[in-house]
């Protein structure tokens, strides 16, 4: 790991909040107590499309403890500043855009009473025929102008069709990925408290400042009138970006109507329709190569879905524009509006689906060429970002592949893939190994931070960051201590308060890279001023000395190199030839993402991403029932995520990478990279083991069994 002169940045120190978390001293949003607290429980629509004609609340209101029933006819009107996400406009219309949408809400003095009464609200609907299933031939498919994160809806460089026609070898296959649901350990919760000058929102939130801005806009307030507090968050994956999700808005609305603090706490079941999800995809990937393995054309067409009320398009082809060189490249997204909840950001939005398809296609190409899949990837490495021609600030894909090959024992696997070499057999198990590249862009946004020197020799550092379990709190403490040149226990770090000032959210893997920049700036400037004062013999005044920093200009000025992170996943699977049971025996992930601020928390985040890739490859499958438009599974009993017993041996290697992009600490994002491509490595291993190409995830036991039967 890169370690600085003081050795604090790069050290694997223990989590700063570890003891508070395990002893319960850390207060999560749900655990905030207030006198006079009431609870709001949403009533969700039972039709997928139509209109609410009547809300009968008499029975609910008759229950003891029930204070109010809100619906679109009586809920306060919200403002709609430009850019407001329509999912935030809760109870503003009688239209029903999807099954599970909030159509009413019950407020009561206890959570149990509110839940009970929510079941007594009778809603009369005027239902219309709904359309909830994504298909490749859906007549409503269109090419959007942009996918998420500003990735073009359609983009090409060169003419792929003739290039493919001339290629010595081509792969032309269709891959699919299923809906995935976020299931953070902490379900979404918020407490809203209106005070004379505004609103305080204790919220499970990835970005307190951005939420303050969004919520202020809805209620016609100035951003500083909304104080979002989000000190501890039990996971998020993109679902706790409150600028796009309604639970906290509903709490704020109910608190305003009732004139008392109101808490919302979604149940696990309610999360499925209310907090976004990874949309399904149908992807056609065409790769053309010369006999030596050099790609001559890459074509990636991705089909996905959005809701009626908002155009969210997963940037499925985004990685395909970056990972490999080829003279001709084309990426097209097509999307259809269905009567479904709006999909949204979920760890590596777009990239997770796209890298699955691309990296399986590359494996297929290797097999058809008879070239080792690692050699094939290395042969198509690129020194410049293919779509822009810009140099990379750092790019260590080849090192990741090579380091991983050696560490994993790849050479023992033999060259080629499907059919090229017979799968290994150990007793009743078929053994396969697979590899895939990992890629995610490296983003960062200008943010603000404050650092204050106190007369007792301690330092107070503050930034509106959010640690959703990543270790950001600990990493920022290390960055601050390093910049101040002091031991971390002399630094008191406050995060999770929007009042600390503008800051990026914990999203797009840009939390720590965005936040560490102004923390470093503020702390270095403070150390400089303290040094000057000490030289002049001046003591620190009783009120302390404060420095505020805003990294916006520095981030802007930091040059125009292409910024991305890369890695390589390796997987070994064992398939029971009689039952089709799949075990992922071991996974190795090798990643390069600039300076790793904390090797311990980073390793843990990489493990999490690899486990989530295991879920994508083999387990996680959201499905919509065409008959009623509902998600078929609503709980963790039937929506399967990998549990401890599913996971074999995991190993993470973090390469020491020096990034040239001007970041003062050299930080690049890691959270999403950890997962990207991992599902392809597992699928490729499984394809080799079974001798059948799997192109649809999750690969279920029945898929494996039917492939085995065809042997
Ligand atoms: Mo992440 S999906 O950018 O919160």
């Amino acid at each position: 790991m890169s370690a600085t002169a003081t050795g604090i940045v790069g050290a694997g120190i223990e989590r700063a909040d570890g003891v508070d978390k395990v002893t319960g001293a850390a207060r999560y949003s749900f655990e905030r107590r207030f006198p006079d607290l009431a609870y709001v429980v949403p009533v969700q629509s039972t039709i997928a499309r139509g209109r609410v004609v009547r809300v009968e609340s008499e029975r609910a209101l008759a229950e003891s403890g029930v204070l109010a029933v809100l619906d679109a006819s009586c809920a306060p009107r919200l403002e709609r500043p430009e850019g407001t996400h329509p999912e935030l406009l809760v109870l503003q219309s009688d239209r029903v855009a999807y099954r599970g949408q909030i159509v009413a809400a019950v407020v009561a003095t206890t959570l149990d009473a509110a839940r009970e009464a929510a079941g007594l609200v009778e809603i009369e609907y005027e239902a219309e025929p709904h359309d909830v299933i994504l298909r490749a031939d859906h007549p409503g498919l269109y090419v959007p102008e942009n996918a998420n994160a500003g990735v073009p809806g359609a983009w090409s460089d060169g003419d792929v069709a003739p290039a493919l026609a001339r290629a010595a070898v081509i792969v032309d296959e269709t891959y699919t990925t299923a809906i995935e649901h976020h299931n953070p350990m902490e379900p979404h919760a918020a407490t809203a408290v209106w005070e004379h000058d505004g609103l305080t929102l204790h919220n499970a939130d990835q970005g307190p400042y951005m939420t303050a801005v969004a919520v202020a806009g809805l209620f016609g307030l100035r951003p500083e009138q909304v104080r979002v507090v989000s000190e501890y968050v039990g996971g998020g994956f993109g679902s706790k970006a409150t600028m796009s999700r309604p639970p906290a808005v509903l709490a704020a609305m109910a608190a305003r109507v009732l004139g008392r603090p109101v808490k919302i706490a979604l149940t696990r079941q309610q999360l499925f329709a209310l907090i976004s999800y990874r949309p399904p995809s149908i992807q056609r990937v065409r790769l053309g190569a010369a006999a030596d393995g050099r790609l001559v054309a890459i074509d990636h067409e991705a089909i996905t879905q959005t809701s009626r009320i908002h155009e969210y398009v997963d940037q499925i082809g985004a990685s395909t524009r970056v990972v490999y060189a080829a003279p001709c490249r084309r990426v097209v997204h097509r999307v259809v509006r269905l009567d479904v909840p709006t999909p949204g950001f979920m760890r590596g939005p777009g990239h997770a689906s796209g890298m699955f398809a691309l990296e399986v296609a590359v494996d297929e190409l290797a097999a058809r060429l008879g070239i080792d899949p690692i050699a094939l990837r290395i042969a198509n490495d690129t020194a410049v970002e293919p779509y822009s021609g810009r140099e990379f600030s750092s790019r260590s894909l080849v090192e990741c592949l090579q380091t991983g090959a050696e560490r994993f024992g790849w050479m023992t696997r033999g060259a080629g893939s499907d059919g090229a070499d017979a799968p290994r057999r150990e007793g009743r198990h078929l053994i396969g190994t697979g590899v895939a590249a990992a890629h995610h862009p490296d983003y960062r946004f200008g943010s603000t931070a404050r650092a204050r020197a106190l007369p007792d020799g301690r330092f107070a550092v503050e930034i509106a960051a959010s640690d959703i379990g990543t270790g950001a709190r600990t990493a920022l403490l290390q960055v601050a201590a390093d910049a101040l040149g002091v031991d971390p226990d002399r630094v008191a770090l406050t995060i999770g308060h929007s009042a600390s000032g503008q800051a990026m959210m914990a999203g797009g893997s840009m939390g720590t890279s965005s936040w560490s920049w102004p923390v470093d700036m503020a702390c270095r400037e403070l150390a400089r001023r303290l040094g000057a004062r000490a030289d002049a013999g001046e003591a620190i005044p009783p009120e302390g000395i404060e420095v505020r920093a805003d990294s916006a200009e520095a981030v802007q000025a930091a040059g125009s190199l292409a910024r991305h992170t890369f890695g390589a996943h390796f997987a070994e699977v064992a398939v029971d030839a009689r039952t089709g049971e799949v075990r992922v025996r071991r996974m190795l992930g090798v990643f390069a993402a600039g300076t790793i601020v904390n090797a311990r928390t980073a390793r843990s985040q990489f493990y999490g991403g690899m486990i989530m890739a295991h879920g994508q490859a083999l387990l996680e499958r959201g499905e919509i029932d065409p008959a009623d438009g509902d998600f078929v599974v609503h709980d963790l009993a039937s929506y399967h995520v990998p549990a401890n017993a599913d996971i074999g041996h995991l190993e993470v290697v973090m390469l020491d990478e020096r990034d040239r992009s001007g970041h003062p600490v050299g930080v690049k994002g890691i959270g999403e990279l950890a997962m990207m491509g991992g599902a392809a490595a597992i699928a490729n291993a499984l394809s080799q083991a079974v001798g059948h190409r799997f192109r649809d995830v999750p690969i279920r036991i029945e898929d494996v069994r039917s492939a085995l039967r065809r042997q």
Side-chain angles (χ1 to χ4, degrees):
M1 270 353 68
S2 312
T4 55
T6 61
I8 299 166
V9 167
I13 68 169
E14 286 180 12
R15 273 177 208 266
D17 49 14
V19 172
D20 285 348
K21 283 183 170 177
V22 298
T23 58
R27 291 275 168 221
Y28 289 78
S29 299
F30 180 76
E31 298 169 311
R32 299 283 173 167
R33 286 167 200 217
F34 295 90
D36 245 4
L37 192 61
Y39 295 82
V40 63
V41 168
V43 177
Q44 297 177 264
S45 76
T46 54
I47 62 165
R49 180 188 171 99
R51 202 167 68 81
V52 173
V53 178
R54 204 172 57 90
V55 175
E56 183 51 68
S57 48
E58 228 163 84
R59 280 177 66 210
L61 286 167
E63 283 289 297
S64 127
V66 173
L67 301 168
V69 175
L70 302 176
D71 63 46
S73 70
C74 62
R77 296 298 93 188
L78 297 170
E79 309 278 327
R80 301 173 188 208
E82 208 191 319
T84 297
H85 195 296
E87 290 281 3
L88 294 181
L89 298 171
V90 59
L91 301 179
Q92 299 299 292
S93 159
D94 62 0
R95 288 293 310 171
V96 175
Y98 56 86
R99 172 130 181 173
Q101 192 172 18
I102 299 175
V103 288
V106 176
V107 193
T109 52
T110 68
L111 184 53
D112 285 341
R115 273 191 198 150
E116 171 80 15
L120 300 174
V121 177
E122 290 159 41
I123 315 265
E124 194 182 309
Y125 299 97
E126 204 171 80
E128 296 165 19
H130 59 249
D131 177 8
V132 295
I133 302 298
L134 179 68
R135 337 185 291 262
D137 61 350
H138 197 292
L141 284 164
Y142 66 96
V143 177
E145 190 175 324
N146 278 306
N148 187 39
V151 172
W155 167 88
S156 66
D157 184 4
D159 203 347
V160 291
L164 284 166
R166 284 194 308 270
V169 177
I170 71 160
V171 168
D172 178 356
E173 300 293 351
T174 297
Y175 305 86
T176 66
T177 62
I179 287 171
E180 284 189 278
H181 294 285
H182 303 92
N183 271 289
M185 279 175 72
E186 177 205 25
H188 294 49
T191 306
V193 186
W194 288 88
E195 285 142 329
H196 56 282
D197 63 334
L199 169 69
T200 301
L201 210 46
H202 295 273
N203 191 26
D205 204 306
Q206 293 182 221
Y209 184 83
M210 293 172 81
T211 294
V213 171
V215 172
L218 294 170
F219 289 94
L221 302 170
R222 296 188 309 280
E224 59 275 20
Q225 289 177 282
V226 178
R227 288 169 298 275
V228 178
V229 180
S230 185
E231 286 183 353
Y232 293 93
V233 184
F237 308 119
S239 71
K240 285 177 182 160
T242 299
M243 74 240 196
S244 64
R245 292 297 140 183
V249 179
L250 184 59
M253 180 184 273
R256 177 165 243 188
V257 171
L258 273 296
R260 59 198 280 181
V262 170
K263 183 180 281 189
I264 189 166
L266 296 186
T267 62
R268 181 68 61 190
Q269 286 83 356
Q270 288 169 336
L271 297 187
F272 283 75
L274 286 180
I275 62 154
S276 96
Y277 59 97
R278 190 191 301 288
S281 75
I282 303 168
Q283 305 177 56
R284 181 182 184 198
V285 178
R286 290 188 292 170
L287 302 177
D292 66 357
R294 296 290 294 267
L295 287 162
V296 296
I298 305 174
D299 188 45
H300 193 164
E301 295 177 355
I303 289 172
T304 188
Q305 72 189 37
T306 190
S307 69
R308 296 281 174 200
I309 60 174
H310 184 64
E311 185 189 81
Y312 170 89
V313 184
D314 236 20
Q315 63 269 44
I316 296 168
S319 283
T320 303
R321 301 207 307 156
V322 176
V323 181
Y324 302 112
C328 300
R329 286 147 296 124
R330 174 174 168 272
V331 168
V332 178
H333 299 87
R334 287 191 296 148
V335 67
V336 58
R337 288 185 182 270
L338 299 174
D339 303 302
V340 296
T342 312
F345 324 128
M346 182 169 177
R347 199 177 205 166
H351 299 273
S353 310
M355 281 299 277
F356 164 71
L358 179 67
E359 289 301 290
V360 175
V362 168
D363 200 66
E364 298 203 53
L365 184 65
R368 287 177 207 184
L369 286 160
I371 295 179
D372 178 81
I374 292 177
L376 178 63
R377 286 177 173 87
I378 292 172
N380 288 288
D381 190 41
T382 171
V384 296
E385 185 180 48
Y387 75 85
S388 71
R390 296 180 301 176
E391 274 181 43
F392 291 97
S393 62
S394 47
R395 175 179 165 115
S396 309
L397 175 58
V398 170
E399 292 86 333
C400 290
L401 288 163
Q402 287 171 336
T403 303
E406 193 168 315
R407 190 111 184 170
F408 188 78
W410 183 261
M411 294 318 168
T412 63
R413 177 189 188 274
S417 189
D418 354 289
D421 57 338
R424 247 163 63 211
R425 215 181 157 120
E426 286 178 15
R428 64 174 204 264
H429 290 111
L430 304 168
I431 312 298
T433 51
V435 63
H439 162 258
H440 197 269
D442 176 47
Y443 300 116
R444 59 211 185 192
F445 265 72
S447 300
T448 60
R450 305 184 211 187
R452 178 189 292 267
L454 304 170
D456 66 359
R458 291 174 52 81
F459 297 87
V461 176
E462 203 183 316
I463 182 161
S466 179
D467 185 332
I468 61 175
T470 56
R473 177 181 268 112
T474 311
L476 293 174
L477 189 66
Q478 291 170 267
V479 169
D482 180 86
L484 289 164
V486 303
D487 204 70
D489 40 352
R490 278 173 63 193
V491 181
L493 173 71
T494 302
I495 64 168
H497 291 258
S498 65
S500 300
Q502 181 273 329
M504 187 51 207
M505 63 182 283
S509 298
M510 67 185 113
T512 297
S513 60
S514 298
W515 303 321
S516 60
W517 196 314
V519 165
D520 181 80
M521 283 171 74
C523 291
R524 282 193 196 280
E525 172 60 14
L526 183 58
R528 193 191 63 76
R529 283 194 211 167
L530 291 175
R533 286 182 82 102
D535 290 347
E538 290 173 49
I540 299 173
E543 73 278 13
I545 300 172
E546 185 176 276
V547 172
R548 294 173 183 230
D550 183 341
S551 63
E553 274 181 32
V555 166
Q556 200 70 41
S560 57
L561 293 171
R563 298 197 317 273
H564 298 273
T565 54
F566 296 92
H569 292 274
F570 295 78
E572 179 181 307
V573 304
V575 181
D576 187 309
R578 290 179 304 180
T579 66
E581 185 190 12
V582 178
R583 305 293 296 178
V584 180
R585 282 185 168 177
R586 58 190 180 110
M587 270 189 95
L588 165 67
V590 183
F591 304 98
T595 301
I596 300 297
V597 180
N598 185 311
R600 182 193 300 241
T601 58
R603 184 177 307 279
S604 179
Q605 224 187 338
F606 282 121
Y607 285 150
M610 290 161 71
I611 292 166
M612 209 158 164
H614 178 132
Q616 183 189 17
L618 301 176
L619 297 168
E620 297 189 46
R621 180 185 171 91
E623 212 172 342
I624 300 180
D625 186 335
D628 62 12
D630 200 6
F631 285 123
V632 175
V633 299
H634 296 102
D635 56 44
L636 292 178
S638 40
Y639 183 83
H640 294 158
V641 295
N644 217 336
D646 292 310
I647 301 302
H649 184 259
L650 285 183
E651 187 183 0
V652 167
V653 174
M654 294 169 272
L655 298 186
D656 191 0
E657 186 185 61
R658 306 286 158 159
D659 186 64
R660 301 184 293 140
S661 69
H663 191 293
V665 193
V667 175
K668 292 162 79 177
I670 63 171
E672 291 167 302
L673 175 69
M675 179 193 177
M676 303 305 99
I682 294 172
N684 292 340
L686 193 50
S687 294
Q688 192 207 26
V690 176
H692 166 86
R693 181 56 67 175
F694 293 100
R695 302 189 179 94
D696 308 286
V697 284
I699 304 161
R700 296 164 304 174
I701 194 164
E702 52 268 45
D703 304 324
V704 177
R705 287 179 61 80
S706 67
L708 288 169
R709 274 197 301 271
R710 284 200 295 271
Q711 301 291 299

